[in-house]
Amino acid sequence: ARAIGPIVKTALDEVRDRFARFGDDVAEFLDEVEHHILDNHRSFLPADAAEPPAEEEGGDDLLAEGAEPVADHDHRIYKVNVLVDRTGQTRAPVVVEQLPTAANLCGFFEYRHDQGRLVTDHTMIRAGALHQANGGYLLLQVGELLSHENAWDALKRALRHKNIRIEEEVALGEGKTRIAGAMKPDPVPLNVKVVLVGSTEIYYLLKLEDEDFSRLFKVKAEFEPGMPRTRQNVERLARFLGQVCREEGYLALHTSGLERLVEAATRRAEHKERMTTHRAELLDLMAEADFYARGERAKAIRGVHVERALEEIRTRHDALACEVDHAISEGTILLRTDGMAVGQLNGIALYDLAGSSFGVPVRITVRTYAGRRGVVNIDREVNLSGAIHDKGALILIGYLGGRFAQTQTLGVSASITFEQSYDEIDGDSASSAELYALLSSLSGCAIRQGIAVTGSVNQLGEVQPIGGVNEKIEGIFRVCERRGLNGEQGVLIPRANVKNLMLSREVIAAVRDGRFHVYAVSTIDEGIEVLAGIPAGKRRADGSWTPGSISDRVDRRLRELQEVVRTRGVTTALDAEL
């Protein structure tokens, strides 16, 4: 050992000088390496050259007390395991972990079989995502994180204590078992920014159920579902799509193809002045358009290819819509799309199935008679309506009372229902349609059956915007087109929804040619005039209404019903039951 000491020291001094900038910890490690080599120097000799230790003065050639010979000339103990190598990196690391298990986050041990045993050592320690992202940023899908056992707790523990601990465990059968005599590496100091990506629902669930969540994750950032449709944003979208075409090997994107994709992004945002920020659907659409363009041996993706892709997507998702259309066509679902009728009209139901939505006309009927019950929603009475729909129905009573019962009581009973509807109904987008049918029944004025109605209403008679206006209009158009457009059909929508119109080219062409109509109204008075062709009427100074108007006829009918109730004490069977 005395003879080789200078050689070992000289070799290690070169390493010390090279890594001096890393501080005292490295220097101490190299000192330990030097002592260990000197104490176990015979393990470096070839097996046939090894000699038994001889007793010499000072005992320099004997193994020091407590020395650890390296068995079978295994020098693995001197190897350094570099967990993370950032050679050449000049910026903070950004790591995305797609499989955030506890082991993949905090690191783990690999094992090898040795004579039927599982063994490991420091060279088989593997870095986790937290090691890779240390000093930078780690991005995780919170849904994936929560789906793996112990992953959430392991992440919280690392962030709370600001260090990374690697636990040595091995999976045996169904569970995990710690290895006897396992190593316990020192914790690694942690300085990282963790970004969790997930839904708003998961955010509030964690905030409510886990008290550590708010302490560890203090900043909440929401992605806007849409962005303004400005020239600058359209240019940015065009550059993004062009980049995707180059990276994915798609054909070049023609101007007409870009225009059609921008239209699709605008429709997805449900606003004429905005575009969706959900790019995945646009990319899928462009990929399918590229497929059709290549099938035609085109040189670029044009508008016709995007249009075909959209049509194919609709075809793949319209099985239920076709089934409903077929039931309407063969008369299984009773529906009128022409002529005039009292106390009935077509509302529009919206079906939303896994992101694919379509509108379907629904027949709404109203019957009015003498009584004291007021407006009865049959669907609510049999528990086939949701709370929002019930609210919309109750608003009708407020409208009637505020408009016609200032000097008299409402001596009327009315029943409203969605005909041939056997599933739960929710939402208030049909409340204006129910009110139009109610006014028609009370006034005795027939209303146009070719015009379907959507829109909610408040107690002041103002028509409020609704969702899915494009799908609803196209659903009615599809039924009317199948039966034959006669120029009298159309849809009555809230004026506030005009900004949301991004209709299909077929509907636009039919409206332009006068074969189909879209009416936008702000109040019930405006809507009833379109449907009945009779003025809604205005209240005069003496409290009466414009003679011959809808309101005048409703007021007269209510007074007649009130008189019947007052003089005859009429109570219907339905009133008695309720």
Side-chain angles (χ1 to χ4, degrees):
R2 184 179 304 169
I4 67 172
I7 300 175
V8 174
K9 184 177 186 306
T10 300
L12 288 178
D13 282 345
E14 295 179 3
V15 181
R16 288 188 181 94
D17 293 341
R18 182 179 176 185
F19 294 98
R21 66 183 187 278
F22 292 104
D24 296 337
D25 289 342
V26 174
E28 292 177 3
F29 170 75
L30 293 176
D31 290 341
E32 293 178 5
V33 170
E34 181 178 353
H35 292 307
H36 195 279
I37 292 175
L38 295 176
D39 292 341
N40 299 275
H41 66 279
R42 293 186 180 279
S43 66
F44 292 90
L45 297 176
D48 56 357
E51 298 179 358
E55 295 185 2
E56 298 180 3
E57 186 178 353
D60 290 335
D61 289 335
L62 293 177
L63 289 178
E65 183 178 354
E68 300 178 3
V70 181
D72 300 328
H73 304 283
D74 187 355
H75 302 149
R76 186 179 289 108
I77 191 172
Y78 300 112
K79 292 182 179 180
V80 175
N81 182 7
V82 180
L83 290 183
V84 179
D85 185 1
R86 293 183 182 156
T87 304
Q89 293 185 8
T90 59
R91 299 180 180 181
V94 178
V95 177
V96 179
E97 178 55 58
Q98 297 180 352
L99 187 64
T101 63
N104 287 347
L105 288 174
C106 296
F108 56 93
F109 287 85
E110 289 183 344
Y111 299 90
R112 67 178 184 273
H113 286 277
D114 183 12
Q115 299 180 356
R117 299 178 305 161
L118 286 176
V119 296
T120 186
D121 55 61
H122 72 284
T123 65
M124 303 181 75
I125 298 175
R126 298 295 175 256
L130 287 171
H131 296 94
Q132 300 287 350
N134 205 357
Y137 304 88
L138 174 62
L139 275 66
L140 302 172
Q141 286 284 346
V142 66
E144 286 288 333
L145 178 67
L146 296 175
S147 67
H148 295 287
E149 183 181 4
N150 298 328
W152 174 244
D153 290 334
L155 177 63
K156 289 195 302 178
R157 186 164 50 248
L159 295 177
R160 187 167 52 246
H161 298 294
K162 296 183 179 180
N163 59 46
I164 313 170
R165 292 183 177 272
I166 303 178
E167 300 290 345
E168 187 179 11
E169 295 180 344
V170 63
L172 295 176
E174 296 295 329
K176 292 183 177 180
T177 304
R178 292 184 182 275
I179 299 297
M183 291 184 297
K184 189 175 182 180
D186 290 339
V188 177
L190 178 64
N191 177 24
V192 68
K193 299 291 185 183
V194 178
V195 180
L196 299 181
V197 181
S199 65
T200 303
E201 291 77 9
I202 294 181
Y203 172 83
Y204 286 111
L205 177 64
L206 288 173
K207 191 175 181 67
L208 180 65
E209 299 293 338
D210 193 326
E211 61 182 12
D212 294 327
F213 179 73
S214 296
R215 291 198 294 266
L216 296 174
F217 299 92
K218 298 181 181 298
V219 179
K220 176 176 180 285
E222 291 193 30
F223 290 97
E224 287 288 339
M227 59 183 175
R229 183 177 169 174
T230 62
R231 181 181 182 87
Q232 185 180 29
N233 284 340
V234 171
E235 290 177 352
R236 289 173 176 171
L237 178 61
R239 287 196 294 268
F240 170 73
L241 295 177
Q243 178 183 350
V244 172
C245 286
R246 291 189 296 271
E247 292 177 352
E248 299 295 332
Y250 298 156
L251 296 174
L253 186 59
H254 191 267
T255 303
S256 62
L258 174 62
E259 291 175 351
R260 195 65 188 90
L261 285 170
V262 170
E263 288 181 15
T266 304
R267 179 183 171 99
R268 184 67 178 81
E270 296 186 345
H271 198 294
K272 291 193 294 186
E273 298 177 358
R274 298 185 66 81
M275 297 185 298
T276 182
T277 55
H278 297 286
R279 305 292 176 83
E281 294 182 14
L282 290 181
L283 297 183
D284 291 342
L285 178 60
M286 188 168 65
E288 190 164 346
D290 175 77
F291 173 80
Y292 297 126
R294 291 180 183 275
E296 297 179 3
R297 303 197 177 194
K299 296 182 179 180
I301 303 173
R302 296 180 175 270
V304 292
H305 304 127
V306 178
E307 188 63 37
R308 181 179 175 185
L310 287 169
E311 182 60 32
E312 292 292 337
I313 292 173
R314 285 193 291 267
T315 300
R316 291 195 295 268
H317 292 86
D318 69 350
L320 181 57
C322 290
E323 183 178 344
V324 174
D325 290 346
H326 181 69
I328 294 174
S329 298
E330 68 180 7
T332 303
I333 297 179
L334 302 179
L335 200 71
R336 292 186 59 178
T337 56
D338 56 14
M340 308 283 287
V342 175
Q344 69 178 48
L345 84 170
N346 297 324
I348 312 174
L350 183 67
Y351 288 79
D352 193 347
L353 304 173
S356 176
S357 56
F358 59 93
V360 174
V362 179
R363 188 184 186 190
I364 299 173
T365 60
V366 176
R367 299 301 298 270
T368 54
Y369 42 87
R372 301 180 184 276
R373 183 64 176 90
V375 178
V376 176
N377 186 304
I378 294 177
D379 299 290
R380 181 183 65 188
E381 300 300 327
V382 296
N383 298 320
L384 279 179
S385 65
I388 298 177
H389 181 259
D390 293 343
K391 176 184 176 182
L394 293 172
I395 284 175
L396 306 188
I397 301 175
Y399 172 84
L400 286 179
R403 191 173 179 90
F404 299 107
Q406 296 299 312
T407 60
Q408 63 178 349
T409 59
L410 288 175
V412 63
S413 290
S415 60
I416 301 177
T417 189
F418 281 61
E419 301 289 356
Q420 295 182 282
S421 176
Y422 309 107
D423 297 319
E424 182 176 295
I425 302 168
D426 204 3
D428 61 352
S429 62
S431 58
S432 64
E434 293 174 324
L435 182 51
Y436 291 132
L438 178 60
L439 294 176
S440 171
S441 179
L442 287 171
S443 66
C445 295
I447 52 180
R448 297 166 63 180
Q449 300 300 291
I451 300 179
V453 176
T454 186
S456 66
V457 65
N458 60 29
Q459 294 187 105
L460 304 177
E462 298 168 332
V463 180
Q464 303 170 140
I466 43 83
V469 64
N470 294 298
E471 290 79 5
K472 290 180 177 181
I473 293 175
E474 291 167 0
I476 294 297
F477 175 80
R478 187 174 60 247
V479 172
C480 293
E481 185 181 39
R482 187 184 295 265
R483 291 187 169 187
L485 298 174
N486 57 19
E488 298 295 328
Q489 296 139 331
V491 181
L492 194 67
I493 67 170
R495 190 176 300 279
N497 278 125
V498 171
K499 63 180 179 295
N500 306 117
L501 293 180
M502 286 296 297
L503 298 168
S504 66
R505 296 174 182 268
E506 293 81 5
V507 176
I508 293 174
V511 171
R512 183 184 300 114
D513 297 340
R515 296 180 292 119
F516 192 77
H517 305 277
V518 178
Y519 302 93
V521 297
S522 300
T523 65
I524 290 297
D525 285 351
E526 294 177 9
I528 197 65
E529 289 180 358
V530 173
L531 293 170
I534 300 174
K538 296 184 180 299
R539 186 181 290 276
R540 300 190 297 187
D542 60 357
S544 63
W545 296 90
T546 306
S549 65
I550 295 289
S551 297
D552 179 55
R553 300 184 186 193
V554 170
D555 186 62
R556 292 177 182 275
R557 180 56 177 163
L558 289 175
R559 292 181 184 277
E560 292 175 0
L561 295 175
Q562 174 62 22
E563 183 63 21
V564 171
V565 172
R566 187 182 66 83
T567 58
R568 301 183 183 180
V570 172
T571 301
T572 65
L574 180 59
D575 288 329
E577 181 180 348
L578 296 173

